[in-house]
Amino acid sequence: MTIVDTPERRQLRELTRSFVTREVLPHLSDWERAGEVPRSLHETAAKIGLLGIGFPESVGGSGGDLLDSMVVTEEIIRSGGSSGLVAALFTHGIALPHMVETQDEGLIGKYVRPALAGTMIGALAITEPDGGSDVAGIRTCAVRDGDHYVVNGSKTYITSGVRADFVTTAVCTEFPGSGSVSLLVIDKGTPGFTVGRRLEKLGWHCSDTAELSFVDVRVPVTSRVGPEDTGFLAIMQQFANERLSLATQAYATAQRCVDLAVQWCRDRQTFGRPLVGRQVVRHKLAEMHSRTDAARAYVHDVAERVAAGQPVVTEVAMAKNVAVATCDWVVDAALQLHGGFGYMRDAEVERHYRDARLLGIGGGTTEIMNEIIAKGMGL
Ligand SMILES: Cc1cc2nc3c(=O)[nH]c(=O)nc-3n(C[C@H](O)[C@H](O)[C@H](O)COP(=O)(O)OP(=O)(O)OC[C@H]3O[C@@H](n4cnc5c(N)ncnc54)[C@H](O)[C@@H]3O)c2cc1C
C-alpha cells in the first residue's frame, strides 16, 4: 500500500470518480464549447465535500492535506475529466491559501468560506501583459489613500477571471517594478475594475481565462492579505502546492493517455491484426507506462516531503519539469498511436494533447524551474 492508497484515500477516489461520471462526463464537451464550467458545478462539488479537500474544517474546508488534493486531481483525470476542468473548478486552490495562512477572520468569512461552499468563485492574478515570470517586477500599483488603496494596472491570462467574484491580486505598494509586492482581494463590481477580453486558447477550453483592468480602483485596507510587502514571500510559499498540482495534472494526464492508448491498440486492427500485436507498438506502450510510473513516484515522493514541512523548493521544481516532460512525450505518443482519429475533436486524447501544453507554462515555466534547480545546485 502506498501513501496515496490508504482506505480513506480509496474512498476519496470513489467519491471523485462517481462525481466525474455523474456530473462532469455528460457535459464536458458542452463546457469545452461554452468556454467555462457552470457555477452550479462548484456548489455540487462543495456539497459532497470535494471542493474543500486540502483546506481545514476551521475555515469551511473538508480537511485533508496536499496528498488528498492530489488524489482528487488524479482521479478526476483518470475518470475522463481533464486538467482544464481541474483548473476551472479548483481555482480557489490558488486564490485562497494566502488568506487561510494569515488567519484573518474578516477575509476568511467574506471569501474563503463562500468559495469553499461553492457560492463564490475566486481567482489569483499575478501575471501582467509585460511579463509573468518576473513576479517581483509587477507594475500594477496600489497607492495608500487613508483607509483605502487606489489600484492601477492590468493582469492577463487569469484563470476563472471571467467568472470570478473576487480576485486575489498581486500589487506593488511602492513604485512599479520595485519588488515591494502585496496581495489585495478585489471584488468584482468595484468601480474601475473591469474584466476585459475572454481569451481564446489552444487548450483548457472549459476553463475561462481573462484580462483584467484596474483604473483608480479603491480597495479597503482590510482587503489586504497579511502585512504590506509580504506578498512576494506569500506567493513563493504557495507556489509549491500549485507546482505540485500541475505536476499531478501532468502525470495523471499521461496515465489517462496510456490507458486510452492501450485500449485503442487492443481494438484497432491493421493488416489483419490488432495494433497491440506488433512488438514496436507494445514497446511504445511499455515505455509510456514506465515513464509515467516513474514521474508519478517522484512527484509523490516530493509531495510527501512538502506535506512533512521539508524545504524542498528545488525538488518541487524538478518534480514539475519531470512530470511535464513525461506528459508531453506520452500525449504525443498516444495521439500518434490513435492515427487520424487522434487528430479529431471526438478523440479524448486530442483534448489532452492540447491541454497538456499549458503545464510547462503555468505556475512558473520549465525554464524558470530550471533556474531554480540550477540555483539549488549552487550554479
Ligand atoms: C491558460 C493559462 C492560465 C494561466 N492562469 C494564470 C492565473 O490564474 N494567474 C496568473 O497570475 N497567471 C496565470 N497564467 C500566466 C502564467 O503563469 C504565465 O504565462 C507564466 O508564468 C509565464 O509568464 P509569461 O507568459 O509572461 O512569459 P515570460 O515571462 O514573458 O517568458 C517568455 C519565455 O521566456 C522564458 N524566460 C523568461 N525568463 C527567463 C529567464 N530568466 N531565463 C530563461 N528563460 C526565461 C520563459 O520560460 C518563457 O518561455 C496563465 C497562463 C496560461 C497560458
Side-chain angles (χ1 to χ4, degrees):
M1 190 163 69
T2 69
I3 186 91
V4 286
D5 191 29
T6 60
E8 294 77 20
R9 288 185 174 136
R10 278 203 287 276
Q11 267 185 356
L12 185 57
R13 281 189 197 285
E14 189 48 49
L15 179 75
T16 309
R17 198 175 313 137
S18 70
F19 166 77
V20 173
T21 307
R22 215 179 41 248
E23 307 292 344
V24 174
L25 294 189
H27 312 290
L28 187 53
S29 297
D30 290 340
W31 299 339
E32 287 276 302
R33 278 188 289 276
E36 61 183 48
V37 300
R39 300 180 77 90
S40 58
L41 188 70
H42 294 251
E43 285 189 69
T44 309
K47 277 194 188 113
I48 60 167
L50 217 51
L51 215 58
I53 294 289
F55 287 89
E57 289 174 26
S58 57
V59 300
S62 315
D65 62 9
L66 172 64
L67 290 151
D68 294 294
S69 304
M70 288 168 64
V71 163
V72 172
T73 300
E74 278 184 17
E75 209 53 45
I76 286 178
I77 296 173
R78 177 184 293 185
S79 313
S82 65
S83 57
L85 179 87
V86 171
L89 187 57
F90 291 89
T91 318
H92 61 277
I94 56 174
L96 301 182
H98 324 83
M99 287 187 240
V100 175
E101 198 63 32
T102 61
Q103 300 182 357
D104 181 327
E105 281 305 326
L107 296 176
I108 287 169
K110 191 170 175 193
Y111 301 110
V112 177
R113 287 180 189 281
L116 294 177
T119 55
M120 274 185 128
I121 292 173
L124 173 70
I126 300 172
T127 306
E128 303 189 343
D130 284 341
S133 297
D134 181 9
V135 175
I138 58 167
R139 307 186 71 78
T140 296
C141 266
V143 176
R144 184 81 182 248
D145 180 23
D147 53 5
H148 281 74
Y149 287 101
V150 180
V151 179
N152 281 285
S154 56
K155 299 286 177 182
T156 195
Y157 314 140
I158 305 309
T159 298
S160 296
V162 177
R163 298 177 305 144
D165 302 296
F166 64 88
V167 182
T168 307
T169 311
V171 295
C172 53
T173 25
E174 275 183 23
F175 52 89
S178 63
S180 64
V181 179
S182 302
L183 289 170
L184 297 180
V185 189
I186 307 184
D187 294 316
K188 182 179 243 172
T190 310
F193 170 28
T194 49
V195 176
R197 281 190 305 144
R198 175 195 286 267
L199 301 168
E200 308 241 324
K201 311 186 290 298
L202 172 70
W204 276 24
H205 285 178
C206 68
S207 166
D208 56 293
T209 310
E211 277 179 355
L212 309 178
S213 159
F214 306 93
V215 178
D216 293 333
V217 181
R218 293 186 69 78
V219 181
V221 170
T222 49
S223 294
R224 193 184 64 219
V225 184
E228 214 170 80
D229 281 358
T230 57
F232 185 78
L233 189 63
I235 291 167
M236 292 303 142
Q237 281 167 347
Q238 296 305 331
F239 262 150
N241 283 3
E242 182 179 358
R243 286 171 184 163
L244 285 174
S245 169
L246 290 161
T248 305
Q249 291 170 45
Y251 73 69
T253 298
Q255 182 62 61
R256 178 66 179 172
C257 287
V258 172
D259 296 345
L260 291 168
V262 166
Q263 191 58 51
W264 170 266
C265 293
R266 283 191 202 284
D267 296 344
R268 183 71 172 176
Q269 302 262 341
T270 66
F271 303 95
R273 267 201 275 160
L275 278 176
V276 79
R278 319 265 167 201
Q279 190 183 47
V280 69
V281 171
R282 286 199 305 276
H283 282 196
K284 179 66 82 178
L285 291 170
E287 197 172 348
M288 291 160 71
H289 181 61
S290 312
R291 289 196 193 193
T292 302
D293 208 44
R296 176 174 36 235
Y298 184 55
V299 177
H300 282 178
D301 176 68
V302 174
E304 275 180 60
R305 290 151 76 183
V306 169
Q310 292 178 22
V312 284
V313 178
T314 309
E315 287 80 357
V316 167
M318 293 195 289
K320 182 170 186 280
N321 278 3
V322 164
V324 167
T326 300
C327 182
D328 286 347
W329 188 83
V330 170
V331 291
D332 185 71
L335 191 145
Q336 186 71 15
L337 286 167
H338 278 72
F341 182 56
Y343 201 68
M344 297 296 124
R345 271 294 143 90
D346 282 346
E348 187 184 326
V349 74
E350 183 261 1
R351 172 159 45 77
H352 292 306
Y353 182 86
R354 288 182 290 102
D355 284 359
R357 193 61 188 85
L358 180 274
L359 302 173
I361 297 171
T365 63
T366 299
E367 292 75 15
I368 295 303
M369 295 305 101
N370 277 336
E371 276 295 296
I372 294 169
I373 297 161
K375 207 166 152 193
M377 294 166 69
L379 302 175

